[in-house]
Amino acid sequence: VEASIPEPQREAWLKHQVNGFKDKDGFEENVVRHVETTLARSMFNCDEHAAYSACALAFRDRLILEWNRTQQRQTFADSKRLYYLSLEFLMGRALDNAMLNIGQKDVAKAGLAELGFRIEDIIEQEHDAALGNGGLGRLAACFLDSLASLNLPAWGYGLRYRYGIFKQEIIDGYQVEVPDYWLDFNPWEFPRHDVTVDIQFYGHVNRTQGESGKTTAHWEGGEMVRAVAFDVPIPGYATTTTNNLRLWSSKAASGEFDFQKFNSGDYESSVADQQRAETISAVLYPNDNLDRGKELRLKQQYFWVAASLYDIVRRFKKAKRAWSEFPEQVAIQLNDTHPTLAIVELQRILVDLEGLEWDDAWNIVVNTFGYTNHTVLPEALEKWSVGLFQHLLPRHLQIIYDINLFFLQTVERAFPNDRELLARVSIIEESQPKMVRMAFLAIVGSHKVNGVAELHSDLIKTTIFKDFVSIFGPDKFTNVTNGITPRRWLHQANPRLSDLIATKVGSYDFLKDLTKLNKIELSVNDKQFRKEWAEIKLANKVRLAKHIQESAGVTVNPTSLFDVQVKRIHEYKRQQLNIFGVIHRYLTLKAMSPEERKKQLPRVSIFGGKAAPGYWMAKQIIHLINSVGVVVNNDADIGDLLKVVFLEDYNVSKAEIITPASDISEHISTAGTEASGTSNMKFVLNGGLIIGTCDGANIEITREIGENNIFLFGNLAEDVEDLRHAHTYGSHTIDPDLAKVFATIEQGVFGSTQDFSGMITAVRDHGDFYLVSDDFHSYIETQALVDEAYRDQEEWITKCITSVSRMGFFSSDRCINEYAEGIWNIEPLHVERDAGVRKGE
Ligand code: AZC
């Protein structure tokens, strides 16, 4: 690397080479310098936010040095890279994570203390980077952590939204959305004003014929929008590898504004053009598991995909290799169908711009891409109207037609005279209007398609993608069960538990190899260990209780059973089942004599999660939860026996407080609807048990930890279809206990009956699509088993310790290794410099 600096200048450059701080003194020096110069604040007037800013900048300085070295290393090694394309990266806060991954939290803590600050307060200053909706976005963030920690050469590509997921406020029991303008101060990004790509939209296609008689398509006219790169360094844990997350921001391609319009006196409209261009990366669409088909969303997708591919191709071309080697240098993973246009764009680059033959290009494309499906819900499967495509991306539509034609020809050859099959698998749906089916395009253009948990991967093969299994054979379809990073979700969120585990494992090695957790099972009967385990859980609950008091104004007793359901609000996730169950519990308690009541186990039902702004039913669910809370929490008969809390604005940093504090968490989706779920893994890893349906990763969690350690209930995925059919065509009787709950709501006990009527009629009159009534009895019974089990604290702790010890499988490191070997064919890059031995931080 050094040899690449010309000899005459080398000495000067190397002499002044910057190195990050090494110790407390160096850290303090960095912080003070940033306070006084970068922030232009006096050290006599440095508040917590300024201290956070300076501290973050000191760490950023270190990260960028490692980032530079990692990128040089990867370029020199000329190894294959993975590019992870995701419209969402739900990163949360970066400072604590950076300190722990680099192994300098102790240094920072001591340094900050000497400067007059508590590290906890400083960490709290950071605004979450919330560029995602839920599980899909958070998974991408966990993957980045694992890729770097495993020394894998990988980049993430996404959009730099000016507004992340909205901030949720609860006002009078209703959700109110407030924009999340998070970029006021973001020390974690590096603007690369020199890395820009102009992206074309609209226009038309011309064809020219070359001398050889070959025709070439030219996409002409239309308008240009400029993509500017912003790089976010991603530090691995206990390694110097620091990977890159590149986020694109949009602006007008013509510079500040259009001078022609300006000169002709049309200043306002030139500014408007500028703003229109900036709109592309302005806002994250706040829908989870729902496709709305908005034109601006398709623009976002193409903008991001085209900029990323231009970047990837530019990097490949530098090495001057043959195009046929592209898939040996580049793997691209599509996080759901949002980046599917990348398939079309690469084909366009290779055929129209680089002059490759169609078949050669297509071979390269298919060998480059992998596609991960995250849902079977029909309302989430992306489709775009042909008309919109024609208007926005005319050349891409032609290429899609050709891809489809050649694909259908191969199907026709293999399955002659099956016109229905052709119609079923066509990338173009012959509806009114015609639609492009993005998932089908993703399957046809990738060499591997995977689901995210075993049941889910089986379901896609037997339902939505069944025909494609017959066409391509079963090997193209595979499973990679999701995972979570133990760095953020154990070590960072639950430091005391991590430290306690380390005393039993003998080191912090479990953070690199989570299967090492199994060593703690040997200590399951160790009295001192169990005592400390219980103390840590209680301390985490006390912390959450404090947060509940401050944010929701509800006093809860930390020794109660904490029952948590936090995730996006969605009918398929069935928060309505939970709140109906809470009402049933309330009625049961009310019907008891005071003596009987005294024998009951106190419970706190904690909810959290955002509803998509346009999702009326989800908003009703939030309103009902809050309304039940008002009644129950103020009922003197009930006291501590039942509290109902809705935590406002659930996000990653709140999850870090909530997850370690649960006794039981709820993962109760209608069987077959939750592709995997990942918070289920986080809760168990933090010593909480779960109540859940046989759905998604719950099934594999059960297999790993043992069925004695989980509370499963409800109908199975294989029975769902018949039950739904029976609801619609047979007689549909509602569970009698649930009917009582409905009656109570309808009496107005929780306020306006009208507000909640939609939730009731969905179950009673509209076919109960999510099987709330079918599962109600089983749910109530199983909740009673939870109470019973919790009464035996010794047995409960045994279950928790045993479960944690068996959670090794659910590390995102395992998951990423499976992708790396089975789909991407990439290898870790050996790190020469000593990464240093770190004791757990
Ligand atoms: C989510 C799934 O709903 C969830 O079960 C899974 O754990 C997560 O992805 C990560 O794989 N899916 C989505 O958010 N999907 C879409 C299209 O929004």
Side-chain angles (χ1 to χ4, degrees), residues 88 134-137 139 287-290 336 338 373-375 380 452 482 572-573 673-678:
E88 305 189 9
L136 174 144
L139 185 75
N287 304 312
D288 183 82
N289 270 297
L290 180 73
D336 216 274
H338 317 143
N373 170 279
H374 293 268
T375 184
V452 290
N482 282 166
Y572 88 81
K573 294 179 189 282
T673 62
E674 188 72 278
S676 162
T678 42

Side-chain angles (χ1 to χ4, degrees), residues 396-695:
H396 293 77
L397 182 62
Q398 292 177 344
I399 294 174
I400 292 170
Y401 279 146
D402 285 346
I403 293 171
N404 196 35
L405 176 71
F406 298 134
F407 166 61
L408 292 180
Q409 282 173 350
T410 64
V411 177
E412 168 76 43
R413 278 195 292 275
F415 302 86
N417 305 318
D418 193 343
R419 297 198 68 80
E420 278 176 18
L421 175 67
L422 293 181
R424 282 203 305 274
V425 300
S426 173
I427 293 168
I428 307 296
E429 181 180 271
E430 296 293 329
S431 45
Q432 248 332 311
K434 289 189 191 178
M435 304 293 272
V436 182
R437 297 157 157 166
M438 301 306 270
F440 291 5
L441 179 55
I443 295 172
V444 173
S446 301
H447 65 287
K448 284 278 181 193
V449 177
N450 75 285
V452 290
E454 276 179 21
L455 173 68
H456 169 65
S457 297
D458 288 344
L459 280 174
I460 61 178
K461 282 195 279 188
T462 50
T463 61
I464 51 175
F465 302 153
K466 186 167 182 239
D467 291 324
F468 291 89
V469 178
S470 325
I471 293 166
F472 291 111
D475 290 353
K476 179 160 176 164
F477 296 83
T478 180
N479 171 249
V480 185
T481 298
N482 282 166
I484 55 169
T485 168
R487 272 76 64 180
R488 183 174 296 257
W489 296 112
L490 179 56
H491 194 50
Q492 181 182 325
N494 204 344
R496 282 186 64 189
L497 190 63
S498 183
D499 291 346
L500 178 63
I501 290 171
T503 64
K504 292 299 167 193
V505 176
S507 72
Y508 286 86
D509 287 355
F510 62 95
L511 294 171
K512 281 232 151 207
D513 174 4
L514 201 62
T515 61
K516 291 210 160 87
L517 279 178
N518 63 12
K519 292 203 181 141
I520 68 170
E521 203 159 346
L522 299 171
S523 304
V524 71
N525 293 319
D526 175 333
K527 281 227 170 69
Q528 183 60 24
F529 179 63
R530 294 169 64 91
K531 186 168 157 271
E532 287 175 41
W533 187 282
E535 280 169 10
I536 291 168
K537 179 58 80 179
L538 183 63
N540 290 332
K541 289 169 72 179
V542 168
R543 181 158 102 113
L544 178 57
K546 189 163 164 273
H547 176 72
I548 291 173
Q549 179 76 61
E550 286 164 4
S551 68
V554 180
T555 310
V556 302
N557 183 343
T559 62
S560 309
L561 187 157
F562 278 19
D563 171 342
V564 181
Q565 188 178 16
V566 285
K567 47 184 88 234
R568 288 298 289 255
I569 311 293
H570 211 298
E571 284 164 282
Y572 88 81
K573 294 179 189 282
R574 296 202 295 190
Q575 283 92 354
Q576 70 276 42
L577 174 60
N578 185 345
I579 193 62
F580 292 155
V582 168
I583 297 173
H584 175 267
R585 179 175 289 264
Y586 175 61
L587 297 178
T588 311
L589 288 168
K590 287 292 272 184
M592 286 177 182
S593 67
E595 291 71 46
E596 232 180 317
R597 259 183 227 143
K598 283 205 189 92
K599 297 183 213 144
Q600 302 308 308
L601 192 81
R603 190 186 274 242
V604 184
S605 279
I606 300 160
F607 294 82
K610 294 172 187 178
Y615 192 168
W616 177 80
M617 189 73 88
K619 289 182 147 180
Q620 293 305 305
I621 295 173
I622 292 177
H623 185 210
L624 179 60
I625 296 167
N626 280 291
S627 306
V628 171
V630 169
V631 173
V632 172
N633 300 342
N634 295 298
D635 189 327
D637 291 346
I638 300 300
D640 271 355
L641 287 182
L642 183 59
K643 293 285 178 203
V644 182
V645 178
F646 190 93
L647 285 175
E648 200 173 63
D649 199 39
Y650 177 62
N651 61 12
V652 173
S653 55
K654 289 194 179 107
E656 290 166 20
I657 300 172
I658 297 166
T659 316
S662 95
D663 293 307
I664 192 104
S665 64
E666 309 216 8
H667 309 275
I668 58 177
S669 48
T670 311
T673 62
E674 188 72 278
S676 162
T678 42
S679 74
N680 42 6
M681 303 168 190
K682 295 167 196 167
F683 281 105
V684 180
L685 185 62
N686 280 278
L689 301 184
I690 63 186
I691 178 168
T693 43
C694 294
D695 202 14

Side-chain angles (χ1 to χ4, degrees), residues 208-382:
T208 55
Q209 204 159 40
E211 283 159 26
S212 60
K214 191 180 158 187
T215 58
T216 311
H218 305 273
W219 179 18
E220 293 165 353
E223 65 178 51
M224 290 287 189
V225 178
R226 183 159 299 165
V228 184
F230 286 73
D231 288 344
V232 183
I234 308 292
Y237 173 75
T239 172
T240 57
T241 299
T242 303
N243 280 341
N244 194 26
L245 168 60
R246 178 159 283 180
L247 302 176
W248 298 104
S249 182
S250 63
K251 63 183 226 170
S254 50
E256 287 306 303
F257 49 80
D258 185 330
F259 277 101
Q260 250 168 13
K261 279 188 182 167
F262 176 66
N263 288 334
S264 65
D266 199 357
Y267 175 67
E268 269 177 53
S269 104
S270 81
V271 173
D273 285 352
Q274 171 83 21
Q275 282 175 337
R276 208 154 50 86
E278 286 174 11
T279 310
I280 292 183
S281 61
V283 54
L284 164 81
Y285 278 92
N287 304 312
D288 183 82
N289 270 297
L290 180 73
D291 172 44
R292 291 239 160 213
K294 293 270 174 65
E295 175 171 349
L296 183 60
R297 167 86 168 185
L298 185 59
K299 273 187 122 170
Q300 286 188 334
Q301 293 184 351
Y302 181 64
F303 170 81
W304 149 63
V305 149
S308 306
L309 267 180
Y310 184 90
D311 215 36
I312 293 166
V313 167
R314 169 166 65 190
R315 206 166 295 128
F316 172 79
K317 283 171 87 168
K318 269 196 197 153
K320 303 208 181 334
R321 291 168 181 267
W323 280 110
S324 59
E325 290 174 43
F326 192 80
E328 288 155 35
Q329 288 293 296
V330 174
I332 303 179
Q333 191 65 23
L334 307 174
N335 196 24
D336 216 274
T337 54
H338 317 143
T340 303
L341 273 171
I343 288 170
V344 189
E345 176 70 359
L346 183 57
Q347 182 71 3
R348 184 182 78 87
I349 292 171
L350 295 177
V351 172
D352 291 1
L353 307 182
E354 301 293 339
L356 272 70
E357 293 300 328
W358 178 278
D359 287 346
D360 296 337
W362 187 243
N363 248 323
I364 292 169
V365 169
V366 172
N367 285 318
T368 299
F369 288 98
Y371 156 51
T372 305
N373 170 279
H374 293 268
T375 184
V376 295
L377 300 184
E379 65 269 32
L381 295 180
E382 273 193 300

Side-chain angles (χ1 to χ4, degrees), residues 3-205:
S4 63
I5 310 172
E7 222 283 315
Q9 296 113 49
R10 196 175 302 159
E11 196 188 322
W13 280 100
L14 292 181
K15 181 172 158 206
H16 300 293
Q17 201 173 23
V18 182
N19 281 305
F21 63 83
K22 293 236 156 35
D23 50 17
K24 181 169 63 77
D25 247 28
F27 169 75
E28 289 176 24
E29 186 190 319
N30 260 265
V31 169
V32 172
R33 178 169 56 81
H34 279 301
V35 169
E36 295 215 293
T37 60
T38 319
L39 303 172
R41 300 275 294 241
S42 117
M43 65 167 88
F44 309 107
N45 167 28
C46 177
D47 59 14
E48 281 175 350
H49 193 265
Y52 154 70
S53 307
C55 181
L57 289 165
F59 272 94
R60 181 181 81 158
D61 288 348
R62 265 194 72 134
L63 289 187
I64 200 63
L65 294 169
E66 296 299 358
W67 183 97
N68 261 320
R69 292 182 185 123
T70 304
Q71 299 316 315
Q72 280 166 14
R73 217 159 42 218
Q74 291 180 3
T75 305
F76 274 74
D78 203 20
S79 49
K80 182 173 182 178
R81 271 206 185 100
L82 160 76
Y83 298 101
Y84 195 79
L85 268 56
S86 180
L87 255 194
E88 305 189 9
F89 288 95
L90 195 44
M91 304 295 284
R93 290 177 175 153
L95 176 60
D96 201 4
N97 180 247
M99 296 191 297
L100 289 167
N101 276 14
I102 303 178
Q104 296 288 338
K105 190 169 179 179
D106 280 348
V107 164
K109 186 174 177 175
L112 283 168
E114 287 191 352
L115 296 169
F117 299 96
R118 276 174 23 131
I119 195 167
E120 297 79 16
D121 301 333
I122 297 308
I123 290 169
E124 279 292 304
Q125 294 297 314
E126 184 170 354
H127 197 118
D128 274 37
L131 307 184
N133 277 286
L136 174 144
R138 182 54 229 177
L139 185 75
C142 283
F143 280 8
L144 292 181
D145 185 75
S146 284
L147 286 161
S149 299
L150 293 168
N151 300 309
L152 289 164
W155 283 39
Y157 274 108
L159 274 183
R160 179 180 177 269
Y161 302 108
R162 192 146 22 100
Y163 298 92
I165 187 71
F166 63 85
K167 194 171 146 33
Q168 177 193 55
E169 288 183 8
I170 302 295
I171 297 179
D172 297 333
Y174 293 94
Q175 167 175 299
V176 174
E177 300 97 27
V178 179
D180 170 48
Y181 184 80
W182 70 292
L183 288 171
D184 259 351
F185 176 75
N186 178 13
W188 304 107
E189 64 179 13
F190 290 87
R192 303 283 192 195
H193 294 292
D194 54 328
V195 181
T196 64
V197 191
D198 285 352
I199 308 296
Q200 186 176 3
F201 290 101
Y202 309 106
H204 55 270
V205 182

